[in-house]
Amino acid sequence: MTKLLPSPFSSLLAVVFISLISIVHCCSPKDQTALNAFKSSLSEPNLGIFNTWSENTDCCKGWYGISCDPDSGRVTDISLRGESEDAIFQKAGRSGYMTGSIDPAVCDLTALSSFVLADWKGISGEIPTCITSLASLRVIDLAGNKITGEIPAEIGKLTKLAVLNLGENRMSGEIPLSLTSLAELKHLELTENGISGEIPADFGSLKMLSRALLGRNELTGSIPGSISGMKRLADLDLSRNHIEGPIPEWMGNMKVLSVLNLDSNSLTGPIPGSILSNSGFGVLNLSRNALEGSIPDVFGSTTYFMSLDLSHNNLSGRIPDSLSSAKFVGHLDISHNRLCGPIPVGSPFDHLEASSFSDNKCLCGGPLMKTC
């Protein structure tokens, strides 16, 4: 049998093929330039986060916090967290601190799907408005910094966005109306900023949203009725704002909602019985409002509260006897109200301290050591 020898042409094809593979796996020069500009606007003096970001090396091979598409060589992920269990943090024995701002050059990373620059404590400036042009973005996490300015008005253009976390910054302005068009959004966190205005009336359009954390801002107005249609919402935090009006009855009919924080607002009216009878709630905080009337006597054997806080309101009447039939109540605080009468005996009252009942009109018995 004649043995076929490789021809010069086939050898050339092999070299070209291998070269193409190498080219495909290299970082895009445009992306590398953008990352260098991004780095130049930031300063991290303690951990050496950017030591691997050398202009003479491939950004897809060994640059800390950078991931690329293996086929195109385009940068897909920036993942830089100032609080991490990564070895570089363990070795230093400290969390990170970074200053500077977000350079608009990040918008040249047109294949970017995840942008995490969180918990560095010192990053300031505004979010570049051009970030809304990054159509592949699924995650934006810039929490725990000193970022100022407003949420980009055209944030709704990021139709693939699933996570938006801007919590613990110094942002202002209102929630953009376009935000409610983010059909894929699952996690929204704007906690501890200076965001003002009303929650958009069509906030309930965010049908995929499971966590809406808007606490510690300057929000006004009432709780939008459209939220009643959010079938996946499990955690809603509107605490420490200026929300007013009554607590809607429909909030107790939300099947998935298990954590509801409405404390430190200007809510008025009675507590809806549906909220206290909903066995799906695990954490309910209605404290520091102007709620009035009696505590609905609707507790039962399926009631399970890890925490129930109704303190600092204008509630009156007696503590419902049905609360003694609850399956579990871990923490209960009904202090600073106008409640009267004897504190029921048995669980959960037998493991609570006097501070849970203090500063009421005429409660007696139990841990208060006050005879009825």
Side-chain angles (χ1 to χ4, degrees):
M1 181 181 291
T2 305
K3 185 176 182 180
L4 295 175
L5 296 175
S7 68
F9 179 70
S10 63
S11 298
L12 178 61
L13 282 177
V15 171
V16 171
F17 181 70
I18 292 171
S19 299
L20 284 173
I21 292 175
S22 300
I23 292 172
V24 165
H25 285 79
C26 287
C27 176
S28 160
K30 181 180 178 181
D31 286 2
Q32 186 141 342
T33 299
L35 287 174
N36 283 324
F38 173 76
K39 179 184 74 169
S40 68
S41 295
L42 298 167
S43 175
E44 191 286 297
N46 301 317
L47 301 172
I49 290 293
F50 293 122
N51 287 351
T52 58
W53 290 37
S54 170
E55 294 186 14
N56 300 319
T57 59
D58 188 335
C59 74
C60 292
K61 298 176 181 178
W63 279 33
Y64 184 87
I66 300 300
S67 299
C68 299
D69 183 287
D71 296 322
S72 67
R74 298 300 309 276
V75 173
T76 56
D77 300 270
I78 297 176
S79 182
L80 299 173
R81 293 190 180 276
E83 296 180 3
S84 170
E85 295 183 0
D86 196 89
I88 194 170
F89 292 86
Q90 297 293 324
K91 184 178 180 179
R94 62 182 300 168
S95 60
Y97 182 75
M98 189 184 295
T99 58
S101 59
I102 302 171
D103 195 287
V106 74
C107 302
D108 292 332
L109 302 171
T110 53
L112 198 65
S113 65
S114 179
F115 181 30
V116 178
L117 188 65
D119 301 317
W120 291 103
K121 306 173 187 68
I123 297 174
S124 57
E126 300 186 4
I127 300 172
T129 56
C130 61
I131 202 169
T132 61
S133 67
L134 299 178
S136 296
L137 269 179
R138 296 181 183 274
V139 176
I140 298 176
D141 187 350
L142 306 176
N145 288 295
K146 295 180 180 178
I147 294 172
T148 55
E150 301 185 5
I151 302 171
E154 297 185 338
I155 193 76
K157 291 171 63 176
L158 299 176
T159 56
K160 296 181 179 180
L161 199 64
V163 175
L164 177 60
N165 187 353
L166 305 177
E168 298 180 32
N169 278 290
R170 298 179 179 180
M171 302 189 69
S172 57
E174 300 186 1
I175 297 174
L177 295 179
S178 72
L179 186 143
T180 60
S181 64
L182 295 173
E184 298 298 317
L185 195 64
K186 297 177 177 64
H187 179 106
L188 173 64
E189 182 162 1
L190 306 177
T191 308
E192 201 168 333
N193 279 285
I195 295 172
S196 58
E198 298 187 5
I199 301 170
D202 61 342
F203 191 79
S205 298
L206 299 170
K207 299 298 184 183
M208 297 296 289
L209 199 65
S210 62
R211 302 190 77 198
L213 309 180
L214 311 180
R216 286 175 280 176
N217 279 290
E218 303 294 333
L219 295 171
T220 56
S222 58
I223 300 171
S226 63
I227 292 178
S228 63
M230 301 175 75
K231 306 301 183 184
R232 297 174 183 262
L233 189 63
D235 188 347
L236 177 61
D237 183 1
L238 302 179
S239 63
R240 301 188 189 185
N241 279 289
H242 308 288
I243 306 295
E244 57 189 12
I247 300 173
E249 183 76 30
W250 51 256
M251 296 201 86
N253 300 323
M254 298 184 73
K255 302 299 184 183
V256 179
L257 191 62
S258 61
V259 178
L260 179 60
N261 289 304
L262 300 178
D263 58 284
S264 305
N265 279 290
S266 301
L267 296 169
T268 56
I271 297 174
S274 61
I275 284 184
L276 297 181
S277 63
N278 186 334
S279 60
F281 277 108
V283 175
L284 178 62
N285 191 344
L286 307 180
S287 66
R288 299 181 186 277
N289 281 287
L291 300 173
E292 55 192 9
S294 60
I295 300 174
D297 193 0
V298 293
F299 302 96
S301 59
T302 60
T303 299
Y304 194 103
F305 281 108
M306 290 179 287
S307 179
L308 174 60
D309 193 344
L310 308 178
S311 65
H312 293 270
N313 280 290
N314 296 317
L315 300 174
S316 57
R318 299 166 62 96
I319 299 173
D321 290 331
S322 63
L323 192 52
S324 298
S325 65
K327 183 177 182 180
F328 178 78
V329 179
H331 170 78
L332 174 67
D333 192 347
I334 52 177
S335 65
H336 298 273
N337 279 290
R338 299 177 180 177
L339 299 170
C340 272
I343 296 172
V345 296
S347 179
F349 304 102
D350 53 5
H351 71 264
L352 298 173
E353 298 182 357
S355 59
S356 294
F357 307 96
S358 64
D359 292 286
N360 272 284
K361 185 177 180 181
C362 50
L363 279 180
C364 57
L368 290 179
M369 304 301 289
K370 180 181 178 182
T371 304
C372 293

